[in-house]
Amino acid sequence: MRTEDSRSHATEPCRLGQHGTCIGATPIRRVGTTRTDALPCTCPCHRTTDKAGRWLVSRETHPRVAREAWSKGLPATLRAGIHFDAVHVPAALVEDGIRGSRDRDAVERHFRAVGITTAVLVSRRRDRYSILVPPDTADTWNVPGAQCLGATNHTNYLATPPPTRHEPPGAHWLLPAPEGDQDLCVPDCIRALLACTRLVGLDGRTGDHRHHASLAGDGPSPL
C-alpha cells in the first residue's frame, strides 16, 4: 500500500523551454497531498551537461556548495582566474552589432558567426553577456568597454547558472556551458565580435552605434 510520502517514478519527459532545451527537473505531486516536488532529471540534456557541471566546479574548494545551489535552480558563485577567466560585455555593446532583429536566435547567430559556439551566459537582468575564456586572459586584456575577470581582480567571483539552464527567468546559458578547456572561447573571437559594432557604426545607422563602436577599438583599457 502506498503511503502519503510515496512518489511516482520520474518517467515523465523533461520540461522544455521555448527553444527546446530542458529547463529543470520534472515536477511531481506527492500522493494524497497538494505538495509539489521535483525529482532529479535524467533526460539526455541533463546527462550531457553533467560533464560541464563537473568541470566548472573541479577547482572549487567546496564544490558541494555550488552543486547544492544548482540543484535549487540558483546560480553558484564560482571563482574566476583558476581554470577560466570571464569577459563581461554589456548587452548593448553586443547587440548594436546586429542588423535587423535582435531576438535570441539573432544573438546566437551573431556569436557563432565569429567562432563563439560555447561558454556564453546571460546575466539575470539580461543586460550583460559573460564569456568564459582561458585563465590569465585578464593579464593582457585591453579592450575598453569589456571587463575581463581574472585572478588579479579584488573580487573574482562569477554567478554561474546551472549548466542545464538555457532559458530565463534568471541567469542562463545562451550557448552551452563548457565541458573542458577546449570549450573556452578564444579571446580574439570576442575582439571580432566587438569589431562588428564598429562596422555597423561606420554604416552610419545612429550616433549611439558609433559611440559603442569606439569602445571596441584599440587602446589602453580603463579597467
Side-chain angles (χ1 to χ4, degrees), residues 28-180:
I28 62 158
R29 180 163 294 172
R30 288 180 180 271
V31 176
T33 74
T34 59
R35 178 177 174 181
T36 299
D37 292 331
L39 289 178
C41 179
T42 57
C43 74
C45 61
H46 270 69
R47 289 197 296 269
T48 55
T49 52
D50 187 56
K51 184 176 180 181
R54 290 196 302 269
W55 183 81
L56 285 169
V57 302
S58 61
R59 307 290 179 86
E60 291 295 308
T61 305
H62 303 289
R64 179 177 295 182
V65 175
R67 289 191 175 278
E68 287 178 353
W70 286 341
S71 70
K72 299 174 183 177
L74 301 174
T77 303
L78 304 183
R79 291 178 298 168
I82 302 177
H83 55 320
F84 65 81
D85 285 359
V87 176
H88 295 318
V89 184
L93 193 58
V94 172
E95 296 167 9
D96 278 357
I98 302 175
R99 294 177 174 85
S101 172
R102 299 180 185 178
D103 60 15
R104 177 179 175 136
D105 289 338
V107 174
E108 283 193 29
R109 288 195 300 271
H110 191 50
F111 275 98
R112 294 181 187 278
V114 296
I116 301 175
T117 59
T118 57
V120 178
L121 57 90
V122 186
S123 67
R124 177 175 58 86
R125 296 180 179 178
R126 286 184 276 180
D127 58 354
R128 185 182 73 187
Y129 296 101
S130 296
I131 309 166
L132 304 192
V133 294
D136 300 327
T137 297
D139 294 345
T140 57
W141 185 255
N142 62 349
V143 179
Q147 177 190 12
C148 190
L149 185 69
T152 58
N153 291 80
H154 178 68
T155 302
N156 64 331
Y157 291 96
L158 178 69
T160 310
T164 54
R165 184 171 291 281
H166 302 287
E167 301 276 349
H172 57 280
W173 293 92
L174 176 73
L175 296 174
E179 297 182 353

